[in-house]
Amino acid sequence: MFVTRLVSGIVLVAIALLTICSGGLVLSATLLAVSLIGVFELYRVTKVQKQGDYLLAFVGYLGVISYYILLSLGYMSYSMMDLIFILVAFMFVYVFCYPNYHADQVMAAFFGVVYVAVMLSYIYLTREMRDGAYLVWLIFLCSWGCDTCAYCVGMLIGKHKMSPVLSPKKSIEGAIGGVVGAALLGGIYAAVVGAHLEAENPIITYAVICAVGALISMVGDLAASAIKRNHDIKDYGKLIPGHGGILDRFDSVIFTAPVIYFLSQLMFLKG
C-alpha cells in the first residue's frame, strides 16, 4: 500500500508540476477535468446522479464547463451571473421534473459546483496573479505539507484526539505539528525563491500565509470526512491508487486555494 501511495503521489506531483508551470489554458483545462471528476464523485455519493437518472447531474456538469470557459476567457466578472444561471437551471429541472428530484438533491447539485469547481478554480486565479508562478505552490505546501507533517508528528507524540468522533486518528499534537511544519515549509520556500518575489519580508509573509492555509486545510479535510461519514463510505472513488478519488486527495486543496488567493491579494495591497 505504501509503495502504491508513493508512486501515485509522485505521478500527481509530476502532473502538478507540468500543468501549473505551463499555466494558462493547460492549467484551466486540467482543473476543468479534475473538477468534473470531483463533481461526479460527489454527485454519486449524494445521490444527485443515480442509475438511469442523469438530468440534474448533467446540468451540474454543464455549469462546471460554463464556469471554466468564462475563467479561461478572462470573464471572471461574469462568474456570479453564471452561478445564478446555474442555480436557475437546477431549479428549472427541479420544478418541471417534479417529483423526480428532492430539494436536498438540488441543493447538493449546486453545492457540488461551488465546492469543487469554483473553489479549485482559485488555483488558476492564483497562478495568474503577480508572482503567481511562485505563489500558487503555497496552496500545495500548506495543504499537502500540513497533512504530511501532522501525520508524522501525530504518529510520534499524538495523544489528545482533535475530533474523536469524526476522525479518531487525528490528534491536537499532530494538528499543531502540521501548522508549524507548513509555516516552516513556507519560510524555506520563500528563502529559496526570494530573489523572484516582490513581497516585503517574504520569509515571514509566506510562513504566515502557509500557517493560516494549514489551519483552513484541516477544516477542508474534516469536512470531506464528515460528508463521507454521513453517507457511510470510506473513499469517494478509486481513481488514484492508494489515495482514493479526486476528492480524497484534493479535499484540503479545495479549501486552501481560495484562502491563499485572498491572502496573497491582501499581501499585495499592503505592499
Side-chain angles (χ1 to χ4, degrees):
M1 176 61 75
F2 174 76
V3 175
T4 302
R5 284 180 64 88
L6 178 62
V7 172
S8 297
I10 292 171
V11 172
L12 281 174
V13 170
I15 293 172
L17 281 169
L18 176 64
T19 57
I20 293 174
C21 288
S22 299
L25 287 176
V26 173
L27 179 56
S28 63
T30 302
L31 288 172
L32 170 60
V34 169
S35 296
L36 286 171
I37 296 169
V39 169
F40 167 76
E41 291 174 350
L42 188 65
Y43 282 0
R44 183 176 55 190
V45 168
T46 56
K47 302 297 188 295
V48 171
Q49 178 169 316
K50 297 182 289 187
Q51 185 67 34
D53 194 351
Y54 306 109
L55 183 57
L56 193 63
F58 181 70
V59 172
Y61 301 139
L62 286 181
V64 172
I65 292 169
S66 69
Y67 178 83
Y68 272 93
I69 288 175
L70 289 175
L71 185 75
S72 301
L73 295 176
Y75 295 142
M76 278 306 295
S77 58
Y78 295 99
S79 60
M80 183 56 68
M81 180 187 71
D82 184 53
L83 287 175
I84 291 172
F85 279 135
I86 293 168
L87 178 59
V88 170
F90 280 134
M91 298 307 293
F92 186 94
V93 173
Y94 176 49
V95 169
F96 289 99
C97 293
Y98 190 85
N100 291 0
Y101 300 105
H102 295 284
D104 56 346
Q105 289 176 289
V106 179
M107 288 185 282
F110 185 67
F111 170 76
V113 174
V114 177
Y115 172 62
V116 182
V118 175
M119 300 280 270
L120 280 177
S121 72
Y122 281 91
I123 296 175
Y124 174 85
L125 292 171
T126 304
R127 176 64 177 82
E128 293 297 297
M129 289 179 62
R130 174 161 53 109
D131 282 355
Y134 301 99
L135 287 166
V136 69
W137 296 106
L138 297 182
I139 295 170
F140 302 95
L141 278 177
C142 68
S143 54
W144 293 347
C146 173
D147 186 48
T148 302
C149 293
Y151 175 79
C152 293
V153 173
M155 287 290 291
L156 290 172
I157 61 172
K159 292 182 180 179
H160 301 88
K161 302 299 181 184
M162 183 172 68
S163 181
V165 176
L166 183 57
S167 188
K169 292 183 179 180
K170 288 182 169 57
S171 66
I172 294 174
E173 293 84 356
I176 295 171
V179 173
V180 173
L184 287 173
L185 287 172
I188 293 169
Y189 176 69
V192 173
V193 302
H196 303 282
L197 306 177
E198 296 183 28
E200 294 183 13
N201 301 315
I203 294 177
I204 296 174
T205 301
Y206 277 44
V208 170
I209 288 176
C210 277
V212 175
L215 285 169
I216 302 299
S217 77
M218 287 187 280
V219 176
D221 184 32
L222 290 171
S225 296
I227 294 172
K228 287 191 286 187
R229 284 190 175 274
N230 283 158
H231 294 88
D232 297 318
I233 60 168
K234 184 178 183 295
D235 295 315
Y236 283 102
K238 299 179 180 179
L239 180 66
I240 309 171
H243 293 271
I246 286 292
L247 294 182
D248 294 296
R249 183 65 277 178
F250 286 85
D251 50 4
S252 56
V253 173
I254 284 172
F255 272 57
T256 56
V259 169
I260 297 302
Y261 173 80
F262 288 115
L263 285 176
S264 300
Q265 292 276 31
L266 182 62
M267 177 183 72
F268 284 124
L269 283 176
K270 287 185 176 181

